[in-house]
Amino acid sequence: MTLHPSLAPGTRPAAATLALALLALFIVFAHLGEGHLANFDDCYYAEKAKEMVGSGDWITPHYDGQVSLDNPPMFLWLMTGAFLLFGIRDVAAILPSAIAGVLCVVLLHRLALRLGLSSFAAWCAGVVLLTTQYFLKYSRHAMFDVFLTLLFLLAIHAYLRARDARPAFYALLGLLCGLGVLTKNVLGLFPLVVAALHLAWTGRARDLLRPPFWLAPIAAAATVAPWYLAQLGAHRAQFVEEHFRWLLLERGFAASSGEPGWINYLGYARDLATYYWPWLPVAVWGVVLAVRRSRGSVLGESDPAMPRDAAKLILLWILVVIGVMSVGREKKLWYIMTAFPALALAAAIALDAWIREASARRRAVTWSVALLAALALALNFVPSRRGKERLPGLYPIARVVSSAAAPGTRIVNYANGYWSIQNFMLYYSGHGLTKPTSDPDSARAALDGGALALVASRRAAEIAGADSTRYRAWVRSGEWTLMRAGPERPVTIPSNDPYR
């Protein structure tokens, strides 16, 4: 696939790419890292990267000092590298996702041009992705999904290069899929599936049996083998249990996961219908146009220029990601993040069909630049709402524990949820919680042994009982109280914030 003939030098695609890159940079990076990390899943992954920094063990991830093999290590390595460069700070944890988000917008614009879409459609694709609320949101989270989307886009670029009589790029396709597996398990193989189906659908099924194509699965296997073999050799039973049985089978297919019944299979359609606005109807019409073009229809003057092979690739991309993920029971909209660029391409196809006049296209581009620039200025120069802290009140408690509690001090979790606060407390305080207990006697016994207790302020009296002079509220912050045993001892909440 080559660039569309309408892309004459005067259209300056490089200038459009640069403009999108700058707009994405200022929008994605605005006040990055404020508000602290979310308990799920940001703090969980950031804690693993933090422990990599502390232990120096980049091969085997640890959580709370224990081997933890549910997640592959690729994104953890990126966060660990950011921590080493910039310190263990919230912005460093988010940085790999934010950089990936900006690069995704840029690469999608270039990919649209390579697919043969018009320069206007390519611009629209970048704008749609940048203004997709879920994509923008998770570009500002310390999570795997936007980085996996970047690898997906790079892999599709490599596949198109390989089709254009450059078979060595099949090896790059495999490498990128391997890195995807090291990022989020089997989801990293989706670009290879899309490429294979696209070759078959476009009349090049024989290429699947030829040596150049086999460079892709060989390179993917060679990329993932060292880490997987190392874990199987060192932690076979735990690795099989956590990484395969629990993560893939139980989380993905257990009947207890997700909504019951057949309605579960429509979960992503429902989520897109709820959250993919304002682009949902635009993308749906773009899919309709792509289906028409894939069936060989010659589109009229009112329809966009779209090579037939490009239409097939966009359709397969959407079907493989959303279709395969719909089979699983557990559904979160960010699990199909890698489909968002394809949906943006579909929306761009529809916009290319609806806005045909050259003057109207110029106005559309001008207005989109103006609106995105205004958004970037507002996000960067309007004071952020620092009051919207995650788990308000808990962060000062964590800072006190971090600065004043002795290493190894246990924090008794009195009548709170566990996973709803554990990741946050462990990452910010360096001390994990016990499993929840509602027994005041056991909590007091632990306090007598030198532990601390985290309790909702309204229930602190249950632990203090009749002896409030012995079992004291050491720190109160918002709805939380940190308790200790013994004589009153003043404490100061640290004024510095090393995580910002």
Side-chain angles (χ1 to χ4, degrees), residues 180-470:
V181 172
L182 289 176
T183 300
K184 206 161 184 182
N185 213 295
V186 295
L187 275 63
L189 294 176
F190 282 174
L192 187 57
V193 176
V194 171
L197 293 175
H198 189 250
L199 285 171
W201 196 9
T202 56
R204 299 179 60 170
R206 290 184 180 180
D207 287 0
L208 299 174
L209 304 177
R210 292 173 177 155
F213 179 80
W214 282 96
L215 289 172
I218 291 171
T223 303
V224 305
W227 186 77
Y228 275 82
L229 291 176
Q231 299 308 326
L232 286 171
H235 311 282
R236 178 181 299 272
Q238 181 180 353
F239 190 49
V240 171
E241 168 66 21
E242 294 182 3
H243 196 78
F244 295 103
R245 192 199 67 79
W246 180 80
L247 184 64
L248 292 180
L249 299 180
E250 186 173 330
R251 285 287 305 277
F253 298 103
S256 59
S257 297
E259 297 177 88
W262 63 269
I263 195 68
N264 178 275
Y265 300 111
L266 301 178
Y268 286 123
R270 176 204 59 206
D271 290 346
L272 289 170
T274 303
Y275 297 109
Y276 195 65
W277 291 91
W279 300 118
L280 179 65
V282 188
V284 168
W285 183 245
V287 168
V288 171
L289 292 176
V291 169
R292 288 173 53 191
R293 187 69 187 96
S294 71
R295 296 173 61 184
S297 300
V298 178
L299 303 182
E301 291 185 1
S302 62
D303 289 318
M306 176 175 34
R308 189 177 179 187
D309 285 1
K312 292 179 178 180
L313 181 66
I314 293 168
L315 293 173
L316 285 171
W317 188 340
I318 295 171
L319 288 172
V320 166
V321 175
I322 299 179
V324 173
M325 295 304 294
S326 293
V327 175
R329 302 291 301 178
E330 184 76 15
K331 289 181 173 61
K332 307 291 185 186
L333 190 54
W334 59 86
Y335 290 177
I336 61 167
M337 185 70 68
T338 53
F340 283 16
L343 292 171
L345 288 170
I349 290 168
L351 292 170
D352 201 35
W354 293 340
I355 305 174
R356 301 299 295 170
E357 294 289 334
S359 58
R361 291 187 172 195
R362 285 193 294 271
R363 288 194 299 273
V365 171
T366 300
W367 274 105
S368 63
V369 170
L371 291 173
L372 289 173
L375 175 61
L377 289 171
L379 290 174
N380 281 277
F381 295 105
V382 172
S384 63
R385 293 181 292 174
R386 294 288 293 272
K388 287 191 66 177
E389 295 284 345
R390 296 180 171 95
L391 295 174
L394 193 58
Y395 182 73
I397 298 281
R399 297 300 304 129
V400 169
V401 173
S402 176
S403 63
T409 301
R410 297 172 60 223
I411 304 177
V412 176
N413 179 8
Y414 186 78
N416 303 300
Y418 181 70
W419 288 113
S420 60
I421 56 175
Q422 157 67 5
N423 300 333
F424 189 93
M425 276 298 295
L426 179 59
Y427 174 66
Y428 286 114
S429 76
H431 297 258
L433 301 173
T434 66
K435 294 297 183 181
T437 179
S438 298
D439 179 8
D441 290 333
S442 66
R444 285 191 285 267
L447 290 177
D448 287 335
L452 303 172
L454 180 67
V455 59
S457 296
R458 68 182 186 280
R459 304 191 65 172
E462 297 177 19
I463 297 179
D467 196 354
S468 59
T469 60
R470 175 161 182 77

Side-chain angles (χ1 to χ4, degrees), residues 1 159-165 170 198-199 202 204 309:
M1 297 181 187
Y159 164 63
L160 296 179
R161 289 287 187 93
R163 279 178 57 101
D164 290 341
Y170 279 123
H198 189 250
L199 285 171
T202 56
R204 299 179 60 170
D309 285 1

Side-chain angles (χ1 to χ4, degrees), residues 32-300:
L32 193 69
E34 293 191 356
H36 299 305
L37 302 182
N39 179 68
F40 285 117
D41 294 316
D42 301 49
C43 283
Y44 182 66
Y45 302 139
E47 174 60 25
K48 288 188 173 185
K50 180 181 174 183
E51 295 191 27
M52 278 188 178
V53 173
S55 68
D57 183 357
W58 290 51
I59 303 302
T60 303
H62 289 71
Y63 177 83
D64 201 6
Q66 304 298 313
V67 172
S68 179
L69 300 174
D70 50 341
N71 304 120
M74 183 68 206
F75 193 78
L76 303 179
W77 291 339
L78 295 177
M79 279 202 289
T80 301
F83 283 162
L84 291 172
L85 286 173
F86 304 106
I88 298 175
R89 303 170 57 205
D90 294 343
V91 69
I94 301 170
L95 190 61
S97 281
I99 293 173
V102 173
L103 292 177
C104 282
V105 173
V106 172
L107 284 171
L108 182 63
H109 176 255
R110 303 307 298 182
L111 179 63
L113 296 176
R114 180 165 291 280
L115 287 173
L117 303 186
S118 72
S119 56
F120 177 71
W123 172 265
C124 291
V127 170
V128 170
L129 185 62
L130 181 56
T131 54
T132 296
Q133 57 173 310
Y134 248 70
F135 175 81
L136 185 57
K137 175 182 178 179
Y138 285 95
S139 294
R140 298 168 56 84
H141 274 256
M143 293 173 64
F144 300 176
D145 306 275
V146 175
F147 177 70
L148 182 65
T149 303
L150 173 63
L151 292 176
F152 201 119
L153 280 162
L154 288 168
I156 296 298
H157 272 276
Y159 164 63
L160 296 179
R161 289 287 187 93
R163 279 178 57 101
D164 290 341
R166 296 181 179 181
F169 276 91
Y170 279 123
L172 180 57
L173 167 63
L175 171 64
L176 292 163
C177 288
L179 295 177
V181 172
L182 289 176
T183 300
K184 206 161 184 182
N185 213 295
V186 295
L187 275 63
L189 294 176
F190 282 174
L192 187 57
V193 176
V194 171
L197 293 175
H198 189 250
L199 285 171
W201 196 9
T202 56
R204 299 179 60 170
R206 290 184 180 180
D207 287 0
L208 299 174
L209 304 177
R210 292 173 177 155
F213 179 80
W214 282 96
L215 289 172
I218 291 171
T223 303
V224 305
W227 186 77
Y228 275 82
L229 291 176
Q231 299 308 326
L232 286 171
H235 311 282
R236 178 181 299 272
Q238 181 180 353
F239 190 49
V240 171
E241 168 66 21
E242 294 182 3
H243 196 78
F244 295 103
R245 192 199 67 79
W246 180 80
L247 184 64
L248 292 180
L249 299 180
E250 186 173 330
R251 285 287 305 277
F253 298 103
S256 59
S257 297
E259 297 177 88
W262 63 269
I263 195 68
N264 178 275
Y265 300 111
L266 301 178
Y268 286 123
R270 176 204 59 206
D271 290 346
L272 289 170
T274 303
Y275 297 109
Y276 195 65
W277 291 91
W279 300 118
L280 179 65
V282 188
V284 168
W285 183 245
V287 168
V288 171
L289 292 176
V291 169
R292 288 173 53 191
R293 187 69 187 96
S294 71
R295 296 173 61 184
S297 300
V298 178
L299 303 182

